[in-house]
Amino acid sequence: MSLKETLEQLKTDALSKIEATQTLDSLNEIRVQVLGKKGSITEVLRGMKDLSPEMRPVIGGFANEVRDTLTTELETKKEVLEEAALNAALEKETIDVSLPGQELNIGTSHILTQVMEEIEDVFLGLGYEIIEGYEIEQDHYNFERMNIPKDHPARDMQDSFYINDEILLRTHTSPIQARTMEKHDFSKGSLRMISPGKVFRRDSDDATHSHQFHQIEGLVVAEGITMGDLKGTLEVLLKKLFGEDREIRLRPSYFPFTEPSVEVDISCFKCGGKGCNVCKQTGWIEILGAGIIHPRVLEMSGIDSTKYSGFAFGLGPDRVAMLKYGVNDIRYFYQNDLRFLEQFRVKG
Ligand code: PHE
C-alpha cells in the first residue's frame, strides 16, 4: 500500500470508529490512538523520509487534511455525546419535596427600633400622633424657640455640630415642639404628639455617651393641663416598659423650656428599691426629663399662655434599652456587630 492509501484507510477506519462510539471515554481513546503523539498518523508520517522530494509535500498536505477532518469529526461527536449525557442526567433528576428548604437569612429590626416601637404603641393607645422632625435643624428651632437665646449658658450642656452659624445637627428632639405648636389648630382639639428620632451632640464617646443617640419627645397642649397629667401619663408609660409594680418620683430640675422642670425616676426594677448595682444603691433610676411648658415657649409659638398650658418630656430610648436588657455600653447599638444584634432577633 502506498502512503496515501494507508492514510485513506486510516481515515475510513477512524471515521467509522467515531461514528460507532457511544461514550466520551472511548471517543477520547480514539483521539489518542489516531492523533496523539504516538498515534497512527504520526506513525505513517515517519515513512515520509523514504519518499521522493516531490512527493513529500503532496503526502504531507494530504496527511494534514486527514488530521483536520478527523479533528472536526471528533469535536462534533464529543458535543453530541456531552449533550446526550446531560439530557440523561436531567431525566434522572427528580425533586424531593420532603427535603428541608434553604433557609433565607432574614434581618430583624434593630433593638432600638423595637424599643421605640414599643413606646410608640403606648402613646398611640393614648391617642397621640407620631410626628417626624428634621435631623438637620435651624438654630432658631433647636435653641431660640426653646427659650435658649444665643448667649444662654444652657447651650453648653448640648455642645453641637454646626453646619453653619444658623444650621446644626439637632441636639435634642425639642425643636419639634415649636414646629408642631406653631402649626396646631386648637379649634380642632388639643395637641398630643410624640416625636422619636436621632439627635447629635459633640460628646466624647464612652460607655454611656455617643455622639449620636435617640430621643422621644412628648408634648401635650390643651386647656388646664397640669403636672398631675404629666405624672399620670409617664406612670402609664414606665409601668408598661418596666413592670406594673414600678413607682415613679419627680425631682426638681432645670430646663430653659419648661417651668417647673423635673427629672423622673423609677423605683429600681432589679432590687425593687432596696439598693443594688443597677440603681447605684439608691433604689431609684433616673429615666427622663420633663416639665410644664414655659409660658414664653407657648407664646413664641403663637399660643395664648393664659388660656392653654401643656407638658413636655424627653425620653432616651437608648437608655431604656440599656436598662431593660442589661446592655452596659451604648456603643454596642451603633457598631452593628451581628453577635450583639442577633440576641434581639424578633421571633417570627
Ligand atoms: N430636651 C431635653 C434634653 O435633651 C429633654 C427634655 C425634653 C426636657 C422635654 C424637658 C422637656 O435634655
Side-chain angles (χ1 to χ4, degrees):
M1 259 201 293
S2 73
L3 273 187
K4 185 156 191 255
E5 283 164 346
T6 316
L7 282 168
E8 290 277 15
Q9 186 65 50
L10 191 154
K11 179 176 152 189
T12 322
D13 288 354
L15 284 175
S16 62
K17 274 194 203 157
I18 292 170
E19 161 111 56
T21 190
Q22 290 307 329
T23 68
L24 284 162
D25 280 350
S26 57
L27 188 70
N28 195 42
E29 267 167 39
I30 300 168
R31 189 182 59 77
V32 174
Q33 273 168 20
V34 182
L35 303 177
K37 263 198 203 123
K38 296 177 185 156
S40 28
I41 292 190
T42 320
E43 186 101 326
V44 174
L45 291 179
R46 284 218 184 96
M48 296 249 292
K49 61 182 188 313
D50 303 327
L51 291 176
S52 64
E54 306 85 66
M55 277 308 281
R56 271 182 210 165
V58 179
I59 296 299
F62 185 62
N64 283 341
E65 262 172 48
V66 172
R67 185 189 283 122
D68 290 349
T69 311
L70 294 178
T71 306
T72 315
E73 284 304 308
L74 282 163
E75 272 306 310
T76 314
K77 183 74 185 212
K78 189 171 171 224
E79 280 168 26
V80 170
L81 290 179
E82 276 173 351
E83 193 175 326
L86 180 64
N87 284 337
L90 286 175
E91 210 141 283
K92 256 198 272 161
E93 193 167 85
T94 50
I95 295 168
D96 182 349
V97 292
S98 69
L99 282 175
Q102 252 184 7
E103 210 177 311
L104 287 179
N105 193 7
I106 298 175
T108 191
S109 42
H110 192 281
I111 179 60
L112 288 176
T113 308
Q114 292 175 40
V115 167
M116 290 201 279
E117 285 178 353
E118 190 180 349
I119 297 169
E120 286 171 17
D121 276 351
V122 173
F123 284 102
L124 283 174
L126 294 173
Y128 284 55
E129 255 185 284
I130 298 177
I131 294 190
E132 299 236 353
Y134 303 114
E135 289 172 6
I136 298 175
E137 185 53 282
Q138 299 172 26
D139 183 283
H140 175 74
Y141 284 104
N142 194 82
F143 289 130
E144 290 184 36
R145 289 283 294 278
M146 299 320 292
N147 202 24
I148 313 175
K150 285 249 189 294
D151 55 356
H152 197 288
R155 288 194 177 209
D156 294 349
M157 298 193 307
Q158 301 189 357
D159 204 356
S160 324
F161 293 111
Y162 274 91
I163 289 165
N164 62 34
D165 284 353
E166 295 303 328
I167 308 224
L168 73 163
L169 299 184
R170 66 176 176 192
T171 56
H172 53 173
T173 44
S174 297
I176 199 69
Q177 288 189 30
R179 285 186 175 277
T180 324
M181 282 192 284
E182 69 185 11
K183 278 200 286 239
H184 190 73
D185 178 359
F186 283 92
S187 70
K188 302 218 166 83
S190 59
L191 168 54
R192 268 174 292 175
M193 70 91 180
I194 58 164
S195 184
K198 296 189 184 77
V199 299
F200 309 85
R201 290 187 198 176
R202 239 202 59 202
D203 273 330
S204 48
D205 291 359
D206 62 30
T208 51
H209 295 88
S210 160
H211 61 277
Q212 176 201 294
F213 56 103
H214 294 80
Q215 286 189 339
I216 298 181
E217 195 77 11
L219 178 76
V220 171
V221 185
E223 283 180 56
I225 295 290
T226 69
M227 203 69 147
D229 298 308
L230 172 64
K231 190 173 181 196
T233 305
L234 293 178
E235 208 166 297
V236 170
L237 172 72
L238 295 172
K239 283 180 181 225
K240 200 79 179 219
L241 289 177
F242 292 103
E244 283 304 316
D245 0 310
R246 296 284 71 71
E247 284 175 49
I248 76 169
R249 93 177 167 183
L250 309 185
R251 279 181 295 116
S253 183
Y254 172 76
F255 299 103
F257 34 91
T258 46
E259 182 59 37
S261 303
V262 291
E263 297 286 345
V264 183
D265 298 340
I266 54 166
S267 56
C268 182
F269 52 83
K270 187 164 177 217
C271 63
K274 287 198 277 299
C276 69
N277 59 332
V278 172
C279 58
K280 299 189 190 115
Q281 311 304 328
T282 65
W284 294 93
I285 301 171
E286 184 183 319
I287 211 93
L288 53 78
I292 293 295
I293 302 170
H294 196 297
R296 201 177 298 148
V297 171
L298 292 173
E299 296 290 344
M300 278 191 281
S301 295
I303 294 171
D304 180 355
S305 66
T306 59
K307 184 163 178 210
Y308 295 101
S309 59
F311 66 73
F313 59 85
L315 174 72
D318 303 70
R319 184 163 159 73
V320 170
M322 286 171 82
L323 286 168
K324 232 173 121 95
Y325 298 103
V327 175
N328 55 20
D329 193 322
I330 192 172
R331 290 168 295 192
Y332 287 135
F333 294 136
Y334 300 102
Q335 286 162 345
N336 284 339
D337 185 333
L338 286 180
R339 290 170 303 178
F340 173 75
L341 297 174
E342 284 280 346
Q343 301 175 83
F344 307 106
R345 183 169 274 284
V346 183
K347 305 281 179 312

